[in-house]
Amino acid sequence: MAHIKVPEGVPGIRSLVLFRPETGKYLYELVQVLLRGESPLTQPERELIASYVSYLNHCMFCMSSHAAAARCLYGDEKNMVDEVLHDMQHSHVSEKMKTLLHIAGKVQILGKQVSQEDIDEAGKQGANDREIHDTVLIAATFCMFNRYVDGLASFTPEDAEAYAEMGKRMAEKGYVMPQQAT
Amino acid sequence: MPHIDLKNDLPGARSAFAYSPETAEPIGILAEILMRSDEGLTRSERELIGTYVSYLNDCFYCHHSHGAIACIYLNGDRQLVEQVRKNYQHAAISDKLKALLQIAGKVQQSGKAVTPDDIENAREAGATDKDIHDTVLIAAMFCMMNRYVDGLATTAPTDMSSYPLRAKQIVETGYGSHIYKSAQPASDQT
């Protein structure tokens, strides 16, 4: 059960933004612009970074829902998602994505963990400044969402089917504030 | 030097915001609502939570910036801000704020570190659901900002007299895009 009185049966972040829509509106706007707005990183790449950081933070809800969204967006290449979550370095993602996921993993530990070598390595693999910026901000943002979702012990479905449905919605419609059921 | 060319000479979070205004906008409004709401927690309590979490995350720019803002709300009581950073259990603050700082410290480690006992403790000290919610979200938001600021290695001014000037600007005009679009506050004494 959640630590505070949120709408029952509503999973994860959705229950929290219904509890406090004033802040929820801008959390949704942030994730929409970050994961769906303009970026040199593709949408599935950005969802993959989000899922990877959530996995490192042991946030089951965010990891599963963003993995499901990434699988939908990768289409035929959807196996990439599970490969990365299983063993990033031996997955089939591009060398550039490996260096960016490595940076995301450092951000997950702490901002100061990102070293000049990490940045240089990403640059050597063709990552530009904007891609590095977006990677750092996505990783940082999910360090917020993961803590928000688990810090208030919001409802985490255990059924894989529930996430497949969420992922489809996230891939097709993006991030839209849930409305309170009347 | 920052890890990427941020195309401006602004310090800390301001330089990252100016580089990416599309993402800065919702973050700025979120901060304004969360840090300057007078409902439930006071502005000084909100800033003390942000300062404490930033201190735990070893983010020099954020913990000094928000410590300076808290200091203004506390009528210049710098010692209290310092106590909250280093040993809040012995600071002259309410039991409620102590219980909420304990929750914020747990959130800094991981969301899962927050226990039902932590929540019960805060409730017994008078915290409402909204107080607990805001504490968790403030702590989580600073876990984002600290990583954004340090993950890009933005510049943290070493001239400590510049922090109260920027703090005064936030106290007077709030969070939002003006903090990177307008001229940076300068000392009145020049």
Side-chain angles (χ1 to χ4, degrees):
Chain A
M1 220 178 73
H3 287 320
I4 57 172
K5 206 169 163 22
V6 297
E8 269 182 52
V10 182
I13 184 76
R14 296 172 72 82
S15 67
L16 305 180
V17 304
L18 286 173
F19 176 85
R20 184 97 149 95
E22 302 89 339
T23 45
K25 181 171 190 280
Y26 298 100
L27 290 169
Y28 267 69
E29 278 189 18
L30 173 61
V31 79
Q32 173 69 20
V33 66
L34 200 51
L35 299 185
R36 295 291 179 273
E38 252 180 71
S39 169
L41 297 172
T42 66
Q43 293 187 16
E45 284 171 340
R46 285 179 271 166
E47 290 286 356
L48 187 56
I49 295 168
S51 182
Y52 181 65
V53 169
S54 303
Y55 158 78
L56 296 175
N57 278 325
H58 305 288
C59 183
M60 184 72 181
F61 178 81
C62 298
M63 189 267 283
S64 307
S65 54
H66 291 279
R71 283 187 205 103
C72 283
L73 292 164
Y74 267 118
D76 292 344
E77 293 178 303
K78 68 175 183 215
N79 287 344
M80 200 96 87
V81 178
D82 295 278
E83 281 180 22
V84 164
L85 295 178
H86 179 69
D87 183 354
M88 189 271 281
Q89 288 298 348
H90 293 97
S91 69
H92 285 90
V93 288
S94 67
E95 291 306 310
K96 183 177 89 177
M97 261 308 272
K98 282 184 190 172
T99 62
L100 293 175
L101 287 164
H102 175 73
I103 290 173
K106 291 288 195 79
V107 170
Q108 185 268 333
I109 303 169
L110 208 59
K112 285 204 171 115
Q113 290 287 318
V114 180
S115 67
Q116 192 54 50
E117 294 76 59
D118 298 329
I119 302 293
D120 292 345
E121 197 50 46
K124 259 188 243 163
Q125 297 299 337
N128 63 33
D129 277 2
R130 186 76 217 187
E131 288 169 322
I132 293 168
H133 168 275
D134 289 3
T135 298
V136 170
L137 184 52
I138 292 168
T141 299
F142 279 83
C143 286
M144 167 175 68
F145 279 112
N146 298 162
R147 283 169 169 79
Y148 186 36
V149 161
D150 281 341
L152 289 168
S154 65
F155 170 50
T156 300
E158 285 172 16
D159 169 19
E161 215 18 65
Y163 290 105
E165 214 173 286
M166 269 183 242
K168 191 165 176 280
R169 185 181 62 217
M170 288 151 73
E172 286 171 1
K173 300 192 176 150
Y175 296 91
V176 185
M177 261 290 275
Q179 298 298 315
Q180 183 82 60
T182 48
Chain B
M1 216 182 73
H3 285 320
I4 60 172
D5 178 9
L6 291 164
K7 302 185 193 321
N8 64 70
D9 299 322
L10 297 168
R14 293 172 186 232
S15 66
F17 287 152
Y19 180 79
S20 179
E22 305 80 11
T23 45
E25 187 167 338
I27 296 174
I29 305 173
L30 177 68
E32 174 67 19
I33 297 171
L34 207 46
M35 303 308 286
R36 288 163 58 85
S37 163
D38 292 314
E39 204 184 321
L41 302 175
T42 65
R43 292 185 187 194
S44 66
E45 287 171 332
R46 292 166 192 273
E47 290 292 344
L48 284 173
I49 293 167
T51 303
Y52 177 60
V53 169
S54 302
Y55 180 75
L56 294 178
N57 278 327
D58 195 21
C59 184
F60 184 94
Y61 180 80
C62 295
H63 91 74
H64 283 294
S65 299
H66 292 275
I69 297 169
C71 186
I72 297 177
Y73 289 136
L74 294 165
N75 302 314
D77 194 345
R78 200 175 300 277
Q79 209 188 335
L80 184 63
V81 178
E82 196 57 23
Q83 270 184 326
V84 166
R85 273 195 197 108
K86 294 189 172 156
N87 189 356
Y88 72 82
Q89 289 294 359
H90 292 93
I93 53 173
S94 67
D95 285 345
K96 181 176 104 171
L97 184 55
K98 284 181 188 175
L100 293 174
L101 286 167
Q102 159 129 347
I103 292 174
K106 292 288 190 79
V107 170
Q108 186 267 335
Q109 297 164 27
S110 163
K112 285 202 162 71
V114 180
T115 65
D117 280 353
D118 296 326
I119 303 293
E120 199 42 51
N121 196 18
R123 280 224 179 83
E124 273 171 24
T128 65
D129 272 13
K130 198 168 211 172
D131 295 339
I132 294 167
H133 169 278
D134 283 9
T135 297
V136 170
L137 186 50
I138 290 169
M141 180 176 74
F142 278 88
C143 286
M144 165 178 72
M145 286 310 306
N146 300 160
R147 282 170 170 79
Y148 190 28
V149 162
D150 282 341
L152 291 174
T154 61
T155 311
T158 49
D159 172 10
M160 298 314 289
S161 71
S162 70
Y163 288 85
L165 298 172
R166 285 189 299 274
K168 188 164 170 274
Q169 180 196 25
I170 299 288
V171 169
E172 286 171 357
T173 52
Y175 293 95
S177 59
H178 69 91
I179 66 169
Y180 60 86
K181 282 182 180 159
S182 63
Q184 292 300 293
S187 172
D188 299 334
Q189 291 151 10
T190 53

